[in-house]
Amino acid sequence: MTAIGHLVDCGLNPICPENLRIYDHDRSLGSRELSLKGGDLYFGGKKVELRSVAAPSFHCLVGESFLPANVLDHLLECQNLAPLEWRKLSNGGGDGNPITIFFAGTSYVGRFGQFVRHMFLGDGDQLWRGGVTHLSNNLSYGWTLVVKD
């Protein structure tokens, strides 16, 4: 099987939603290859895994390396890189809630607090879409992407 690979420059600022500014973003990652091999996503040669999470409790995943929003920007533009397996995920037991994947490696701040960006796939959607999640006390259930060491 042929791998599909793309270069993502994490040294650059990712897209910043209106009325927000980047609060935390690790530019030291530099340029890394994002590739799809055998149905799995790889970032910089390391396998990317999904972890179930309730935002804002990303801190409970101590020692994990989260993917930055640059990867989200690239996945939204090149949707063929998103593994088909992600479409099969159920967020809430098939109750019509969208599948939400958070990119906690970049956080934003605005007038009303701290935010992370996510991509989601609702019932019947063919294309992934992007959104913003407020890191408040309200729990948003979904998945986050971590790089397996």
Side-chain angles (χ1 to χ4, degrees), residues 77-105:
E77 192 159 316
C78 302
Q79 297 210 1
N80 60 322
L81 286 173
L84 292 176
E85 205 47 42
W86 293 359
R87 291 181 176 274
K88 298 176 185 174
L89 294 174
S90 172
N91 191 20
D95 60 4
N97 288 331
I99 296 163
T100 304
I101 300 175
F102 302 105
F103 288 75

Side-chain angles (χ1 to χ4, degrees), residues 37-85:
K37 300 175 190 169
D40 292 321
L41 188 66
Y42 288 82
F43 181 65
K46 295 182 179 181
K47 187 176 178 181
V48 173
E49 294 185 347
L50 286 168
R51 295 278 196 275
S52 180
V53 68
S57 59
F58 298 114
H59 62 275
C60 71
L61 298 173
V62 176
E64 300 284 13
S65 298
F66 300 111
L67 288 185
N70 307 67
V71 176
L72 167 63
D73 296 336
H74 201 81
L75 286 172
L76 290 174
E77 192 159 316
C78 302
Q79 297 210 1
N80 60 322
L81 286 173
L84 292 176
E85 205 47 42

